[in-house]
Amino acid sequence: FLLLVPFCLSTGFLFTLLSHRLSERMGGNPIAGVYGVEAAGSVVGGLVFNLGVVYLLSTFQSLLLLAAVNAGVFAWLARDLKVGALRHIFLGVILLVVILEVAWDLDRSAAKHLFPAQRIVELEDTPYGKLAVTEQSGQISFYENSVLLFSTGDVSENEESVHYAMVQHPGPKHVLLLSGGISGAIEEILKYGVRTVDYVEINPRLVEMGRRFARVLDDPAVRTVASDARRFVRQNGKLYDVVLINAPDPLTAQANRFYTVEFLREVKARLSDSAVVAVSLLSSFDYYGDDARRLTSVVANTMRAVFAHVLIVPGLKTYFLASDAQLNIRIGHMIEERGISTVYVNQDYIDDTLLRQRSDALHRIVERDAGINRDFTPVGYYGQLRYW
């Protein structure tokens, strides 16, 4: 509110004042034309920004370009007024900002306050958001719009996000991974001797950055796809044995699209027999308050509306596995039986009896009347906002 008030009040005042002065000068009422020109300017500005500026300039460079345009307009409008000194001061301020941008890289300086105690490795504005790659004690973290996407070296989370679902299938050959491949998940998938891994990220620059830190993307079995996951699922005719949906929690309308019944039905149309689908939410560990319980219930109910069997597996996150085939909670036993080499997801760290008890407890808290998450009834999005 405090940031917007000066801008909104001043621009609203100036628009009215300029319209009034123009009417006086023309001896008529050209308000309709003024609004038309203003609307056309908004359209042109939107096109220039979204089709050009956002690809070429950083945040502060975009602001600098806008300031330069405003300075030029100010100088042109003030050419007949006795404000020479003010005009020179205004242009001097713009010049000072240019010098600061060239000398100090204002984008990187501002980002340092967002990621304290971390070294900024990469920083880039993209059409899909501002990407930042940071390093701290050897761990590389990827952020989009200051929200953590994933970090390298997190062995336990990488194993949980892959093996809980993968071990449910008797012989997975084709896997679809929606986001999160740079963190180390693909290495875990390849342990099953799969033929192909289709790794989908909407932002191509994220994949390009990730290649510096994840050599596994060059594996011949891995195909990276820069596309919206929902569009890819609809248009791709390939059948998959396992689909791992590593989307962020449904804290935005964008992320919520991957937790809806419509998307799960689209995914089901691309599944082979006995295929398994997995999504996850940040865990509430051993205590579920009202909001956490309702959000868990929404996701479980949504998956049950599409698949015959749903298994909730507690871990560092809460994992929801879905399939039309039977699912087994004895994950530690199955990992050992299959001979999969793991550090954390095995019987040394996971007691199947305790895991079953915790899973059963999660199933008991599911409320059938919590609703189903839909594209145009996003109760998951609402529930996640309430929970946070």
Side-chain angles (χ1 to χ4, degrees), residues 162-178:
V162 171
H163 296 297
Y164 286 177
M166 291 287 294
V167 78
Q168 302 290 335
H169 195 282
K173 296 301 179 185
H174 304 287
V175 178
L176 176 60
L177 176 62
L178 304 181

Side-chain angles (χ1 to χ4, degrees), residues 19-20 22-24 26-36:
S19 299
H20 175 67
L22 186 63
S23 298
E24 288 183 337
M26 296 182 66
N29 183 8
I31 298 301
V34 171
Y35 271 99

